[in-house]
Amino acid sequence: MTRILTRTASADTVSRLAQSGLHPLLARIYAARGVSDPAELDYSLKALIPPGRLKGVDDAAQILADAIEAGARMVIIADYDCDGATACAVGMRALRMFGADVHYIVPNRFEYGYGLTPAIVELATGLEPELLITVDNGIASVEGVAAARDLGLATVITDHHLPGDTLPEADVIVNPNQPGCDFPSKALAGVGVMFYTMLALRAELRSRGAFAGRAEPNLAELLDLVALGTVADVVKLDHNNRILVSQGLQRMRADRMQPGLRALFTVAAREPARCTTFDLGFALGPRLNAAGRLADMSLGIECLITDDPGRALEIAQELDKLNRERRAIEAEMQEEAMLGLDGIDPGSRTSLTLFEPEWHQGVIGILAGRIKEKFHRPTIAFAQGNPGELKGSGRSIPGLHLRDALDLVTKQAPDLVIKFGGHAMAAGLTIHEDRLEEFRETFEAVVKSLMNPADLTRSLETDGELEGSLFTLETAQLLEREIWGQGFAPPLFADHFQVENQRILKEKHLKLQLRKGNTRLEAIQFNNAGPAAEHIHAAFRLAVNEFRGVASVQLMLEHFEQE
């Protein structure tokens, strides 16, 4: 069951925003998302929270500046997702601008797992570093940092994940979520933390006169990478993150971006001049992530740090091929998961725990997300890990903080989970293979104790009805240009329509012709081949549809109910 709800907005706030010059429709939409001051829509760089508010960032800048002056070799320890890859690319490009001797390694997720482990420290020693810098990882790397200290290596941790009970004894930690950090935005992605660290480093180098006689490096050139990593990591798009994303999108639309991003747009058949957060999250991000899921993320990082357009395109084509392979694997796994759920009433459970011996470890996170979307239940999918172990990836729904739930599982059954980590909506874990059923039931009991039964019914929050005069291409284009994403949902409207015509496309998409008053509208619902009644109540987005060079408005149906 799905409930269609309508967001509320203060009439005074809507009026105030409209009086500031905002389009009346945008004023209503923004007010419903908690925006009360036009300053919250200032996406200029001067509106960014200053780097100095980030705990540890000035100390990190001093350590890095000292290392650059001493000619010390640095090695960035990256993560194998899009956020980690873009964070690594920001670090590599910025530090090279500053004249640093910098290299990187990224763990192969199947051999080394996640983060700065003792094994990764040993691997890094092959590059003869004096300083290790983590990006998008490290806050839980207690043993890895200790191993680095034993070897006399300095460590700078840049991360955004939630810390555990014990922090690593690094030389410095930069993480808005660490204890004692009063940085107003706790939603920075790993790439955002690294960008801020590079801003602080530039300020430190400036104070030392490092740029005397030469142009100061322009770190704004890296905002395309920051935007991509921020959107792809599905962090909350608070005001500060919206600034970073807006600035990055502006650069992409003006064709001022890294060759690797331009190449990714090419292989994804997307037009940079009108790119949106949707393109970053669903076209570019998955192609980069495919490298970490099926192969080695160093391929994705190389795409982002090369200045050779030909090389960038060559790598992007390889990433596109990997992404097609990933989609095929995912489709097969999803089919197997649905067969495994056949005969089980998901409505009778508050969580779903899935496992098949042949499932691909790099794709279980996507599978968990798909099943979660279909059944609206927190879902964990497992694949074979090391001998005797299963590796899991989970996705949650509003109302359940997944990492906190796993923490409670470990408290109730201390030796059940080998390790875990993550966020409110996504987490990873490792368990003993022979205790899968015990985990399934313990996790179910924990989730049931934490969740409000009402949260198990899917709710679609909409912006209510759309005036008849606004069902236009101009309105769709207006909305398309804005910054939407996690925690700042794209506009979703709801209304009643008469269905005049309908047909099935490619055996799985429902194409409809709708009527609202005297207006006829084209609409489509993807992955739904079921028929619609003559009258429906639908939740929809306005979208720009391009066919043979002609643009028109189209309704993208999220959900409809028969009337």
Side-chain angles (χ1 to χ4, degrees):
M1 178 181 172
T2 298
R3 293 175 298 185
I4 298 179
L5 307 176
T6 302
R7 295 183 180 91
T8 58
S10 159
D12 288 344
T13 301
V14 174
S15 176
R16 184 165 59 251
L17 293 175
Q19 287 172 7
S20 74
L22 200 61
H23 188 287
L25 176 61
L26 288 177
R28 171 161 70 94
I29 291 168
Y30 280 135
R33 281 152 185 75
V35 173
S36 58
D37 187 334
E40 297 174 64
L41 301 174
D42 179 1
Y43 295 158
S44 64
L45 287 175
K46 69 179 185 336
L48 274 178
I49 300 167
R53 296 287 303 274
L54 198 53
K55 180 182 177 181
V57 78
D58 291 331
D59 291 337
Q62 290 182 23
I63 291 171
L64 294 170
D66 288 345
I68 291 171
E69 288 181 351
R73 174 167 291 188
M74 312 174 190
V75 172
I76 295 175
I77 311 299
D79 186 24
Y80 43 68
D81 67 359
C82 186
D83 186 19
T86 52
C88 181
V90 165
M92 290 293 294
R93 286 187 171 276
L95 288 167
R96 284 175 175 173
M97 289 179 191
F98 299 146
D101 177 8
V102 60
H103 304 263
Y104 77 90
I105 59 173
V106 56
N108 182 301
R109 74 194 299 163
F110 310 114
E111 294 179 39
Y112 293 99
Y114 169 78
L116 179 65
T117 61
I120 288 298
V121 172
E122 183 179 351
L123 184 65
T125 59
L127 293 171
E128 300 181 349
E130 296 173 59
L131 171 64
L132 301 180
I133 308 166
T134 71
V135 292
D136 194 31
N137 74 91
I139 195 65
S141 299
V142 176
E143 295 178 354
V145 169
R149 290 177 71 91
D150 289 344
L151 293 172
L153 300 178
T155 50
V156 172
I157 302 295
T158 75
D159 200 354
H160 70 124
H161 293 94
L162 298 174
D165 296 333
T166 304
L167 294 178
E169 295 183 5
D171 290 76
V172 65
I173 296 174
V174 186
N175 182 337
N177 291 300
Q178 68 176 306
C181 184
D182 65 356
F183 192 74
S185 171
K186 302 299 183 183
L188 277 179
V191 68
V193 176
M194 191 54 173
F195 181 70
Y196 262 83
T197 304
M198 294 299 99
L199 289 175
L201 174 56
R202 183 179 63 180
E204 175 65 22
L205 290 171
R206 182 191 300 131
S207 72
R208 299 185 183 196
F211 307 123
R214 70 180 179 103
E216 186 171 293
N218 181 11
L219 295 183
E221 294 175 1
L222 306 177
L223 283 165
D224 54 347
L225 296 168
V226 179
L228 173 56
T230 298
V231 172
D233 211 46
V234 203
V235 292
K236 180 182 178 182
L237 292 191
D238 60 12
H239 181 217
N240 206 62
N241 276 340
R242 294 201 304 278
I243 294 171
L244 295 172
V245 172
S246 175
Q247 290 289 329
L249 282 173
Q250 286 179 43
R251 298 189 72 84
M252 295 178 211
R253 290 167 181 168
D255 199 26
R256 292 183 290 133
M257 60 185 135
Q258 318 303 325
L261 264 69
R262 189 177 295 109
L264 288 169
F265 273 110
T266 298
V267 299
R270 301 279 178 158
E271 178 52 58
R274 46 177 290 231
C275 67
T276 68
T277 51
F278 182 88
D279 295 303
L280 304 187
F282 293 93
L284 274 63
R287 284 168 172 80
L288 272 176
N289 276 327
R293 294 187 186 283
L294 301 188
D296 187 334
M297 185 46 98
S298 60
L299 190 68
I301 294 171
E302 286 299 317
C303 183
L304 300 179
I305 64 176
T306 182
D307 290 322
D308 180 346
R311 172 70 177 143
L313 183 58
E314 181 182 305
I315 298 174
Q317 288 168 337
E318 195 168 342
L319 292 172
D320 186 57
K321 179 182 176 184
L322 285 171
N323 192 51
R324 289 196 300 272
E325 290 178 19
R326 186 271 305 168
R327 289 167 62 182
I329 292 169
E330 177 200 334
E332 184 176 340
M333 287 169 57
Q334 192 169 341
E335 185 176 336
E336 291 172 351
M338 294 304 297
L339 286 173
L341 289 169
D342 192 31
I344 298 175
D345 176 17
S348 66
R349 298 186 64 85
T350 56
S351 69
L352 295 172
T353 299
L354 313 170
F355 167 67
E356 286 292 337
E358 302 304 316
W359 281 353
H360 196 292
Q361 197 182 114
V363 187
I364 50 175
I366 298 177
L367 174 66
R370 297 280 190 247
I371 299 300
K372 178 265 294 187
E373 287 297 323
K374 185 171 183 65
F375 295 107
H376 196 66
R377 293 291 184 274
T379 301
I380 296 179
F382 284 98
Q384 209 76 51
N386 294 328
E389 296 179 356
L390 298 180
K391 284 199 171 183
S393 188
R395 298 294 183 268
S396 193
I397 62 176
L400 180 78
H401 192 298
L402 187 54
R403 185 194 174 281
D404 287 356
L406 291 174
D407 187 44
L408 191 53
V409 168
T410 65
K411 287 178 170 61
Q412 293 190 7
D415 58 346
L416 181 56
V417 177
I418 298 171
K419 59 183 178 180
F420 74 98
H423 301 290
M425 303 304 288
L429 69 159
T430 302
I431 67 170
H432 299 284
E433 183 175 4
D434 59 0
R435 301 183 68 180
L436 174 64
E437 192 56 39
E438 183 183 352
F439 173 83
R440 178 182 281 116
E441 295 311 317
T442 304
F443 182 62
E444 168 71 10
V446 164
V447 172
K448 185 173 285 188
S449 72
L450 294 175
M451 291 205 72
N452 185 324
D455 292 330
L456 296 174
T457 297
R458 187 194 311 272
S459 296
L460 279 178
E461 282 195 298
T462 77
D463 294 287
E465 295 185 1
L466 188 64
E467 294 176 28
S469 63
L470 294 177
F471 282 94
T472 64
L473 178 62
E474 290 71 26
T475 303
Q477 291 170 333
L478 171 74
L479 299 177
E480 187 181 68
R481 287 192 295 268
E482 299 299 302
I483 306 300
W484 313 108
Q486 180 70 20
F488 206 75
L492 181 69
F493 305 100
D495 213 330
H496 302 268
F497 300 97
Q498 179 183 345
V499 178
E500 291 195 330
N501 196 4
Q502 58 184 301
R503 57 194 173 94
I504 304 300
L505 301 179
K506 298 182 179 179
E507 300 182 351
K508 60 178 182 178
H509 307 312
L510 184 62
K511 178 76 172 174
L512 307 103
Q513 186 175 74
L514 306 178
R515 176 185 284 276
K516 170 70 176 175
N518 294 323
T519 305
R520 279 196 174 91
L521 300 155
E522 296 296 323
I524 190 167
Q525 185 176 40
F526 290 111
N527 299 309
N528 179 19
E534 184 179 354
H535 296 277
I536 60 172
H537 182 210
F540 64 92
R541 304 189 193 281
L542 275 193
V544 177
N545 181 43
E546 291 210 7
F547 183 67
R548 294 179 179 172
V550 178
S552 61
V553 66
Q554 179 174 247
L555 308 192
M556 308 284 286
L557 302 189
E558 291 277 318
H559 173 75
F560 66 81
E561 299 168 349
Q562 318 281 8
E563 292 189 326

